[in-house]
Amino acid sequence: MSEEKTGKKRKKSHPKKFKVAAQDSVSIPNLNNGNNLEAIKTVTSSSSLQVKDGHSTNPYLFGRKYTVSVALPGSIIDNAQSNELKTYLAGQLARSFAIFNVDEVVIFNEARWKDNAVASGGANKEGKRGEDKHISSDPNVFLARILQYLETPQYLRKALFPMHKDLQYAGLLNPLDCSHHFRQEEKTPYREGVVISKVPKGGKGSLVDAGLNKNVIIDRSLKPGIRVTLQIDNFDTINEGKLSNYIQAKVISPKTPREQCGLYWGYQIRLANSISKVFTECPYTDGYDVSIGTSERGQPIDLVIEEIPEFRHLLIVFGGLGGLELAIDADEDLKCGGDEADALFDLWVNTCPHQGSRTIRTEEAILISMSSLQSAIKKKGKND
């Protein structure tokens, strides 16, 4: 990110090259990251809200409607030399996404990895990945699995993640310490759980393991093994005949804690087979209304940060070892080449001009860029 463009800045509207597949709703995000635990405990209590000069002092009262998505190539995992280092790299990324309240992580196939596995240092004809025979042959899947594992509350991992070689060193990673990673004794209005196979005594509804000392009962019959977001208004067990010894709760959308209370409730993971599919398979009905591409050939962030328009769904895209230009060149669905990469985005930025190192790794670029954009994101995100 060392080259600085000069000359007159040109404004670009959002490219219409992609037809977004309309969907009724966003698929359930699985990662729940959070803010202050005390804020979560008191956010639903009207008595806890204090007003000063006509304004509430509770920062989570009004909710957050906008979303932030980050897209990156899974091929960066192949830059690590061992299974331990690959796992640690994925853990670094997970921490970054949690710290900066990323709602969606899109892992895209940078160079048709499956079709060019040997050339890109991936799997050979026997499906083995070099000397590392104990991990996924696809780096995109490997990265997604580690990110998903770290996002999941500890008390749900055994039920949701069977033994897998990709997770061999996941226990050594730094925890995300998210707000949904509750301890058993913590009583909060929102909680994650997994539907279990045990049938309720009354025969109606489903039982959910939410990491509490008692099972939770919901009024919907769901398939065992499904992860759900719960709202629990009362932690006292029901004392009504066959339903006794259960805690009652209702299933809510995982977007509710964010939209209603402003709590960061984790990121959703999506795999895309190419960079164009990052856009065309967008889960939001109207697509991403603002997209930012990062490159050392972009305009310095200080010159363009005020040009970021208001948004409902923001997408920030990072390249791998060869930059975004490589991924665009490899995408057969795009009519432009890597030398026209800036035309695909509303903003084409360099978030670290005058860098002291010749190269900036993707995991470093994410930290630098998200830090540089934080104030603008909070200012331009729409909550109406």
Side-chain angles (χ1 to χ4, degrees):
M1 302 183 189
S2 58
E3 297 180 17
E4 188 171 322
K5 273 191 176 180
T6 58
K8 188 176 180 180
K9 293 179 286 185
R10 59 191 179 95
K11 278 191 173 182
K12 295 190 289 256
S13 60
H14 187 64
K16 302 300 181 183
K17 296 180 176 64
F18 306 104
K19 182 179 179 181
V20 178
Q23 296 186 16
D24 293 333
S25 62
V26 181
S27 56
I28 295 177
N30 291 327
L31 196 151
N32 304 311
N33 201 348
N35 297 290
N36 187 299
L37 176 60
E38 292 304 316
I40 302 173
K41 288 180 178 179
T42 60
V43 70
T44 58
S45 172
S46 58
S47 61
S48 69
L49 305 180
Q50 300 179 6
V51 177
K52 183 178 181 181
D53 298 329
H55 299 284
S56 171
T57 57
N58 190 322
Y60 309 114
L61 179 60
F62 302 106
R64 173 169 69 88
K65 301 294 174 51
Y66 67 86
T67 65
V68 177
S69 300
V70 166
L72 75 162
S75 61
I76 65 172
I77 290 295
D78 279 335
N79 293 332
Q81 289 75 34
S82 67
N83 195 6
E84 295 95 319
L85 291 176
K86 295 175 194 294
T87 303
Y88 187 76
L89 172 57
Q92 283 183 295
L93 293 168
R95 289 282 302 169
S96 298
F97 300 143
I99 289 169
F100 291 108
N101 297 348
V102 174
D103 301 295
E104 181 194 29
V105 178
V106 188
I107 303 169
F108 63 86
N109 193 356
E110 183 179 42
R112 300 289 180 179
W113 191 90
K114 292 180 181 178
D115 298 331
N116 303 283
V118 177
S120 63
N124 56 29
K125 293 182 179 179
E126 285 74 34
K128 298 177 181 178
R129 192 177 174 195
E131 295 301 320
D132 252 332
K133 302 176 183 179
H134 304 298
I135 59 178
S136 292
S137 59
D138 189 337
N140 304 298
V141 174
F142 178 88
L143 176 57
R145 181 174 282 114
I146 297 294
L147 293 179
Q148 189 68 73
Y149 179 84
L150 288 175
E151 179 274 332
T152 303
Q154 291 89 331
Y155 58 85
L156 298 182
R157 290 174 180 171
K158 185 176 180 180
L160 295 175
F161 289 88
M163 295 289 290
H164 197 282
K165 290 291 185 179
D166 286 358
L167 302 174
Q168 182 178 3
Y169 298 102
L172 302 177
L173 296 175
N174 295 320
L176 299 187
D177 199 21
C178 303
S179 65
H180 69 304
H181 292 190
F182 294 121
R183 280 63 173 174
Q184 186 180 85
E185 68 277 4
E186 293 174 337
K187 298 180 179 180
T188 59
Y190 303 118
R191 203 173 180 98
E192 293 294 295
V194 61
V195 179
I196 60 177
S197 57
K198 184 179 178 181
V199 179
K201 295 177 182 177
K204 296 181 179 180
S206 303
L207 291 181
V208 176
D209 177 7
L212 299 168
N213 58 356
K214 299 288 184 180
N215 286 328
V216 172
I217 188 170
I218 57 176
D219 60 0
R220 298 169 58 181
S221 295
L222 299 176
K223 184 179 179 180
I226 293 179
R227 178 173 165 180
V228 292
T229 302
L230 303 171
Q231 181 173 327
I232 305 176
D233 297 322
N234 189 344
F235 281 80
D236 294 333
T237 54
I238 305 172
N239 293 313
E240 298 178 7
K242 294 181 179 180
L243 297 181
S244 60
N245 295 323
Y246 297 144
I247 297 172
Q248 196 166 32
K250 64 178 180 179
V251 177
I252 60 172
S253 166
K255 298 183 294 184
T256 299
R258 169 177 59 83
E259 292 185 345
Q260 298 297 320
C261 305
L263 299 170
Y264 175 53
W265 209 246
Y267 55 73
Q268 171 189 351
I269 296 172
R270 177 162 67 90
L271 291 171
N273 197 43
S274 64
I275 192 168
S276 63
K277 285 183 170 53
V278 172
F279 293 86
T280 60
E281 296 175 356
C282 173
Y284 306 112
T285 303
D286 297 322
Y288 303 109
D289 42 5
V290 175
S291 61
I292 299 176
T294 60
S295 170
E296 64 177 12
R297 286 163 283 280
Q299 291 185 306
I301 184 65
D302 293 339
L303 299 181
V304 298
I305 194 166
E306 293 300 325
E307 295 182 11
I308 298 176
E310 291 187 342
F311 64 87
R312 177 75 70 179
H313 303 296
L314 173 66
L315 172 67
I316 307 169
V317 187
F318 297 89
L321 192 61
L324 279 173
E325 294 84 352
L326 175 64
I328 292 170
D329 273 332
D331 194 333
E332 298 173 357
D333 296 328
L334 292 177
K335 296 180 180 179
C336 63
D339 56 343
E340 301 174 298
D342 60 328
L344 296 178
F345 304 94
D346 293 306
L347 293 170
W348 183 244
V349 302
N350 177 357
T351 56
C352 189
H354 315 299
Q355 64 197 53
S357 173
R358 291 188 182 90
T359 58
I360 292 181
R361 299 172 65 89
T362 303
E363 64 271 23
E364 297 166 341
I366 290 174
L367 282 171
I368 295 168
S369 300
M370 296 305 295
S371 179
S372 300
L373 293 167
Q374 275 303 285
S375 59
I377 290 173
K378 293 178 180 178
K379 182 179 179 181
K380 299 298 179 70
K382 291 182 180 180
N383 283 314
D384 53 3

